[in-house]
Amino acid sequence: MAERYVMSIDQGTTSTRCILFDHGGRLVSVAQREHKQHFPRPGWVEHDATEIWRNLEQIGPKALAQAGADPGQVAAVGIANQRETTVLWDRHTGVPVTRAVVWQDTRTDMLVEELARRPDAYIVEELCGLHLATYFSAPTIRWLLDHTPGLRERAERGDVLFGTMESWLIWKLTGGPEGGAHVTDVTNASRTLLMNIYSLSWDDTLLDFFGVPRAMLPEIRPSAETYGVATRVMPGVRIAAALGDQQAALFGQTCFAVGEAKCTYGTGSFLLLNTGHEPVRSTHGLLTTVGYQIGAEPAVYALEGSIAITGALVQWFRDGLGLIGTAPEIETVARTVDDNGGCYIVPAFSGLFAPHWRSEARGIIVGLTSYITRGHLARAVLEATGWQTREVVDAMNADSGLNLRTLNVDGGMTANNLLMQFIADVLNVPVVRPMVAETVSLGAAYAAGLAVGYWPDLEGLRRNWHRAAQWLPAMDPELRAREYDNWQRAVERTFDWIKPHDEE
Amino acid sequence: MPGPVQSIERAAAILRLLAQGSGRLGLSEIANSLGLARGTAHGILRTLQMVGFVEQDEATGKYQLGAALLHLGTSYLDVNELRSRAINWADALAARSGEAVRIGTHLQGKLLVVHHVFRPDDTLQTLDVGMLLPMHATAMGKVLLAYDANAAAAVPEGDLEAFSRRTIRTTKELTRALSGIREVGWAADVEETTVGEASVAAPIRGYGGLVVGAMGISGPVERVCDPHNRPRADLVTFVRDAARAVSRDLGAPRW
């Protein structure tokens, strides 16, 4: 009998990837394609959802060809996706009505401020567990309905559909205008500001608050369940899972027990802690979100600490300053010196996320002297990621009452040994990288495989997990305390930079 | 003896041209200056661009000398970049073979470990990234000696340091071993570094087939080798496939 695989589609912010995994959770083939980032105005970030669909049409077959497999050998496909990015499309033609508005887009800042001033604004966080902020989907939907003539009427009639990227791709894969399934999963729905975090269904109070018509919304389904069968790209294959990328990483890291946490280091970094079947409300600037839901089982919740800029700071060092040629070279340059030379970089490029949530903060480099070289700056760039992780871990420990004992890490930056050692040093806990660094893709594959019985249960998935690398803390406690204090003083200096009327 | 290769002569002329003056020229300017058909000049420029010797400005379409050319004298591929590009395949190799995986490059006569994936049994293991190992006694080191003339040149003449009864002791013996490695395309070390340990390695290639590193597995000799003390054929295939996958991602031609 021919080998059978599970396919994952990771629809990310900069690219879409298709990966085939075998029964041991091992990566068999990868195909990837980047899509264009559109910046039509300052603060606006858009993707062309049709381009992303076409990319999938190419890489799906390519991943199969690389493995020498045909669609019949794919037991199921799971999707992980960039969260919150909003696609609106015409139900009858299958054509997006505007470009997709990406989570980084800040066009709704005025709208969000306006909404936040309403006396009933407190209900938002109470009902959905998230702050009112620009990157969640609801304000974007509202903005598009307000700014596109005739759109609201079409949306109310159900002629225009809303979805995050997984909804869009599932709808297209299952036939589009010809009977495509219009669904989303609980984790993605939990990022819209429209889902009730307790009942896991669209909440009328929230729909009213944001002025979003129910007719345009997808049906909310569990993260692992067969949504439909593909009629295109990989005909006959069951589409059996969808998760937001960070939740997929939590799943791929097999953080199935209460108190287990992972941090994914990419453009931004996201620390998620499994809090079990009860949503935990944060008093330290973390988000309450759904971790995953397997079929008819109760949902598992998570606390999330979001850091806006980590890998993006390395990219800025490369593209904005031209101090390195490729991102991994940052380690080479940082190793030319022994320490940061007293220099700290706080990358509050668009304000600070968790645990500060200061939108008026802007980035700074402090401690500059004539002694500072490119090497010191490179160190400060990497250390910024370490300290931001520390701040989020401190908040998690305070909110959950648990003390993190190990940090499971994944994502591209885990190839950076200097950074991983630094994180172990500043957290004072071991940092562990699992054997598959592609945990986002693996998580989507796991959920899909679980839904169709390719893998029997969570325990079976856990057995696939193996430690690939481990970094143990080795920093002198006094040095750690002193450096953390310096970092915190640097952070304070970023506050209150943008004055209330500076933004147009 | 064959005559000069015309396209290489032309490529050299294009590089000379770009090295002069403003250093930014359009396709027509280049073609006209050298008396080449546009199609010919474009073909050569595209090849130069592929190997990193020429870059094209996205906005203006003009060509200039590439960064790779400016760094020709220094390291070809940053070791941290090599790790970044190889990490997925190294993980997959460890998962498939059940053994620890390492990637190494040549550094001043030694083998520098640039990446290490633990043996997937979740026992306590320590990262040895940054460790220096002997070239002539390790599978990875021998791969680099076989394919990297600079690495080979750094090995001193005469007797080689012995780590075990099986270590290669003489340059003559080493030369013979290296030609065998080039013939089969992989290397093994059976108890040559440490008694009871064996390893298998294959070359990682970049653009044009240039060897930029070696990738291999190591483990107890009874697991890595068959009863005749030869590396197990399935493990050799895993190692070679993984090294090939990394090479493909680095832009090496298929071999």
Side-chain angles (χ1 to χ4, degrees):
Chain A
M1 202 178 91
E3 174 94 48
R4 283 168 67 77
Y5 306 102
V6 173
M7 181 188 273
S8 75
I9 297 168
D10 174 9
Q11 202 304 296
T13 307
T14 56
S15 71
T16 307
R17 307 202 303 160
C18 249
I19 299 187
L20 281 185
F21 290 97
D22 67 12
H23 205 265
R26 294 170 297 214
L27 187 148
V28 176
S29 69
V30 189
Q32 170 167 358
R33 229 183 137 80
E34 296 198 354
H35 54 264
K36 198 168 156 45
Q37 308 288 319
H38 299 270
F39 306 104
R41 289 191 204 183
W44 290 30
V45 188
E46 300 177 342
H47 292 159
D48 178 351
T50 302
E51 180 191 1
I52 288 172
W53 165 249
R54 289 207 189 104
N55 286 351
L56 179 61
E57 284 184 311
Q58 289 190 7
I59 59 175
K62 209 169 142 192
L64 286 172
Q66 255 188 44
D70 58 62
Q73 284 168 264
V74 179
V77 59
I79 302 177
N81 56 289
Q82 53 167 321
R83 302 179 301 174
E84 298 119 12
T85 294
T86 299
V87 193
L88 300 187
W89 69 92
D90 186 306
R91 179 201 289 274
H92 309 291
T93 62
V95 178
V97 296
T98 60
R99 284 211 201 103
V101 178
V102 180
W103 57 276
Q104 298 150 319
D105 191 297
T106 55
R107 75 183 63 183
T108 58
D109 51 0
M110 299 295 282
L111 172 64
V112 165
E113 256 179 58
E114 206 181 294
L115 290 168
R117 276 197 298 270
R118 281 173 47 170
D120 54 346
Y122 70 95
I123 55 153
V124 174
E125 192 163 348
E126 211 153 272
L127 294 175
C128 76
L130 307 172
H131 318 269
L132 247 176
T134 54
Y135 37 82
F136 301 120
S137 315
T140 309
I141 303 174
R142 167 66 177 274
W143 191 96
L144 290 169
L145 293 176
D146 286 352
H147 289 79
T148 318
L151 194 59
R152 179 170 289 280
E153 292 68 37
R154 291 164 70 197
E156 277 164 359
R157 285 199 305 267
D159 290 339
V160 165
L161 303 180
F162 155 77
T164 33
M165 279 296 172
E166 86 296 350
S167 297
W168 163 248
L169 293 179
I170 293 169
W171 188 80
K172 291 290 275 184
L173 282 168
T174 52
E178 290 94 44
H182 187 217
V183 297
T184 184
D185 92 295
V186 278
T187 68
N188 277 296
S190 80
R191 314 297 293 186
T192 56
L193 295 173
L194 298 173
M195 188 186 82
N196 185 298
I197 192 82
Y198 301 98
S199 71
L200 307 180
S201 55
W202 302 123
D203 189 303
D204 284 324
T205 312
L206 291 169
L207 295 182
D208 280 351
F209 182 87
F210 288 104
V212 171
R214 189 181 267 272
M216 70 191 302
L217 299 179
E219 183 193 348
I220 302 176
R221 302 276 292 268
S223 321
E225 182 179 81
T226 300
Y227 308 127
V229 173
T231 59
R232 289 190 265 178
V233 186
M234 47 207 101
V237 177
R238 285 174 289 184
I239 302 162
L243 296 130
D245 51 11
Q246 295 308 321
Q247 281 88 344
L250 186 74
F251 205 74
Q253 283 269 20
T254 66
C255 293
F256 302 141
V258 177
E260 290 183 328
K262 69 87 206 178
C263 191
T264 303
Y265 290 93
T267 309
S269 294
F270 298 86
L271 208 158
L272 269 74
L273 171 80
N274 182 325
T275 61
H277 297 305
E278 296 299 323
V280 171
R281 309 310 295 254
S282 173
T283 50
H284 295 84
L286 305 174
L287 306 175
T288 307
T289 197
V290 180
Y292 55 87
Q293 186 189 13
I294 308 297
E297 291 172 29
V300 168
Y301 291 90
L303 268 179
E304 171 173 325
S306 336
I307 309 169
I309 306 284
T310 50
L313 185 60
V314 177
Q315 284 160 17
W316 172 76
F317 204 65
R318 181 192 66 198
D319 303 333
L321 298 185
L323 288 173
I324 45 173
T326 65
E329 246 184 82
I330 188 99
E331 185 174 351
T332 311
V333 176
R335 283 188 191 275
T336 59
V337 294
D338 293 328
D339 55 34
N340 60 23
C343 180
Y344 301 83
I345 302 180
V346 185
F349 288 178
S350 46
L352 285 169
F353 282 21
H356 307 286
W357 299 102
R358 300 288 292 242
S359 58
E360 87 300 343
R362 284 300 176 271
I364 52 162
I365 303 178
V366 288
L368 282 181
T369 59
S370 54
Y371 172 74
I372 298 299
T373 64
R374 172 169 94 116
H376 297 115
L377 289 173
R379 283 243 168 201
V381 162
L382 295 178
E383 292 184 3
T385 293
W387 292 122
Q388 292 187 97
T389 307
R390 167 70 189 266
E391 290 177 324
V392 168
V393 167
D394 284 357
M396 291 243 161
N397 287 344
D399 272 337
S400 66
L402 303 161
N403 264 340
L404 187 75
R405 275 191 270 173
T406 309
L407 183 68
N408 298 304
V409 296
D410 53 75
M413 286 178 104
T414 57
N416 191 315
N417 281 292
L418 187 64
L419 174 63
M420 292 302 114
Q421 182 60 51
F422 188 73
I423 292 171
D425 283 343
V426 302
L427 297 183
N428 200 24
V429 299
V431 167
V432 174
R433 181 177 83 79
M435 199 133 284
V436 176
E438 304 294 339
T439 50
V440 171
S441 295
L442 186 63
Y446 275 175
L450 207 56
V452 301
Y454 180 80
W455 284 294
D457 52 22
L458 297 181
E459 244 348 276
L461 298 179
R462 251 185 211 285
R463 278 194 294 274
N464 282 344
W465 188 97
H466 296 294
R467 192 187 299 125
Q470 172 164 269
W471 294 267
L472 300 173
M475 192 183 252
D476 169 46
E478 268 177 47
L479 176 64
R480 181 188 303 126
R482 201 162 59 238
E483 287 292 309
Y484 194 21
D485 180 58
N486 285 343
W487 166 261
Q488 288 170 316
R489 290 190 302 128
V491 169
E492 280 165 27
R493 280 159 178 78
T494 68
F495 295 165
D496 299 319
W497 182 254
I498 299 290
K499 289 181 277 177
H501 300 292
D502 274 5
E503 292 181 275
E504 72 300 30
Chain B
M1 188 176 138
V5 180
Q6 195 184 38
S7 56
I8 296 181
E9 284 186 326
R10 287 171 169 170
I14 289 177
L15 293 177
R16 284 218 173 88
L17 186 68
L18 289 172
Q20 293 164 4
S22 75
R24 285 165 190 269
L25 296 171
L27 175 61
S28 314
E29 293 169 292
I30 294 168
N32 293 341
S33 302
L34 299 175
L36 296 175
R38 277 173 63 97
T40 309
H42 188 237
I44 295 171
L45 280 163
R46 273 191 42 188
T47 308
L48 288 171
Q49 203 179 345
M50 225 174 68
V51 301
F53 284 8
V54 157
E55 285 167 6
Q56 188 178 19
D57 187 279
E58 261 185 49
T60 63
K62 292 200 175 206
Y63 294 91
Q64 62 186 44
L65 293 184
L69 196 58
L70 306 176
H71 298 140
L72 206 51
T74 58
S75 164
Y76 169 73
L77 181 70
D78 184 275
V79 295
N80 293 310
E81 168 142 31
L82 174 60
R83 180 189 317 113
S84 226
R85 307 274 290 267
I87 197 162
N88 281 340
W89 300 114
D91 280 354
L93 176 58
R96 212 154 272 153
S97 66
E99 303 296 344
V101 171
R102 286 180 186 75
I103 292 175
T105 57
H106 167 241
L107 182 75
Q108 296 163 348
K110 296 276 190 188
L111 177 81
L112 171 70
V113 177
V114 301
H115 184 48
H116 175 193
V117 183
F118 289 167
R119 187 175 57 251
D121 60 6
D122 302 324
T123 55
L124 187 65
Q125 297 165 67
T126 320
L127 275 187
D128 15 291
V129 174
M131 192 178 272
L132 290 168
L133 300 171
M135 294 285 274
H136 68 280
T138 56
M140 281 196 293
K142 287 193 281 182
V143 162
L144 295 177
L145 289 174
Y147 292 102
D148 179 342
N150 291 307
V155 175
E157 283 290 320
D159 286 352
L160 301 164
E161 192 183 343
F163 299 91
S164 78
R165 203 167 48 80
R166 294 178 188 265
T167 313
I168 294 177
R169 309 275 175 100
T170 65
T171 30
K172 195 172 153 207
E173 216 186 319
L174 181 62
T175 308
R176 203 170 44 235
L178 297 183
S179 85
I181 290 165
R182 280 189 291 267
E183 233 163 75
V184 296
W186 56 275
D189 138 28
V190 181
E191 302 191 283
E192 291 165 50
T193 327
T194 313
V195 175
E197 291 275 314
S199 56
V200 178
I204 298 175
R205 295 173 187 271
Y207 279 126
L210 199 64
V211 171
V212 294
M215 179 175 191
I217 58 165
S218 51
V221 68
E222 62 274 16
R223 279 211 308 256
V224 175
C225 294
D226 64 18
H228 309 287
N229 249 15
R230 280 186 303 250
R232 277 167 42 197
D234 57 337
L235 293 180
V236 171
T237 306
F238 289 155
V239 169
R240 299 188 71 192
D241 286 351
R244 264 196 210 109
V246 175
S247 303
R248 195 173 54 225
D249 283 359
L250 289 173
R254 283 175 191 268
W255 82 93

